[in-house]
Amino acid sequence: MQDDEGLIEEAQRLIAEATAAGLRVVTAESCTGGLVAAYLTEVAGSSAVVERGYVTYSNAAKTEVLHVDDAALQAFGAVSGEVARAMALGALAASHADIAVSVTGVAGPGGGSAEKPVGLVHFAAARGDRLVHRKEMFGDIGRRRIRLMSVAIAFDLIDQMMRQE
């Protein structure tokens, strides 16, 4: 698991590399509640990279702010690859960023089900016409650990998108 210091170090590296490449990032977060953006903005100079961040915790916010199709929410649920991808694409379209990353999941301790247990998190990242999705099953390891591990995965996806042109 990533700790606070490790996440800040990774954020510093991402900010430095994105600044050098002239890339801007937008976040669309649900279960992390803005932690991805918070760790990125912990770094001095992050204003050159972090274009904006959306915390779209409710389904209404996902549809109103990120234009996630309500039919997708109804068919697949907020915690799904389909919605994670739609969140990333919506954030990219609603911003002036080059790269979008989204996170939606069940951090617990409640809210899980047999189909979507606590610890299930879907991620997506978009840049230009590229879109990737990642699904993680962290297990019921505690809300804080799930959220911190989700930040680390989001950082991995940002890094992946920065390396693709």
Side-chain angles (χ1 to χ4, degrees):
M1 175 182 113
Q2 283 282 352
D3 61 4
D4 188 60
E5 186 176 313
L7 288 172
I8 291 171
E9 288 173 6
E10 182 63 8
Q12 290 170 331
R13 185 186 69 76
L14 289 173
I15 294 296
E17 290 183 12
T19 300
L23 296 171
R24 309 247 332 177
V25 174
V26 60
T27 64
E29 304 181 60
S30 188
C31 68
T32 48
L35 275 180
V36 176
Y39 273 99
L40 289 172
T41 59
E42 183 75 20
V43 179
S46 58
S47 61
V49 173
V50 180
E51 203 276 329
R52 66 185 75 186
Y54 298 103
V55 176
T56 54
Y57 213 71
S58 70
N59 285 353
K62 289 173 182 67
T63 58
E64 292 167 11
V65 176
L66 301 177
H67 304 288
V68 173
D69 187 7
D70 189 56
L73 285 163
Q74 296 304 316
F76 305 107
V79 179
S80 64
E82 291 81 4
V83 169
R85 287 187 288 270
M87 288 172 65
L89 290 173
L92 198 58
S95 71
H96 302 285
D98 305 291
I99 296 169
V101 66
S102 68
V103 185
T104 183
V106 185
S113 66
E115 182 180 290
K116 296 183 181 186
V118 170
L120 169 63
V121 184
H122 286 272
F123 305 84
R127 179 179 182 190
D129 62 355
R130 287 175 305 285
L131 178 64
V132 297
H133 166 254
R134 184 164 167 181
K135 173 184 171 182
E136 291 290 331
M137 298 285 289
F138 296 119
D140 193 355
I141 58 173
R143 184 176 185 83
R144 179 154 176 80
R145 287 185 67 200
I146 290 167
R147 288 163 42 102
L148 291 176
M149 291 176 77
S150 294
V151 171
I153 299 295
F155 282 0
D156 285 346
L157 288 174
I158 293 168
D159 187 56
Q160 181 182 338
M161 288 290 125
M162 285 196 312
R163 299 190 187 292
Q164 296 180 357
E165 298 205 29

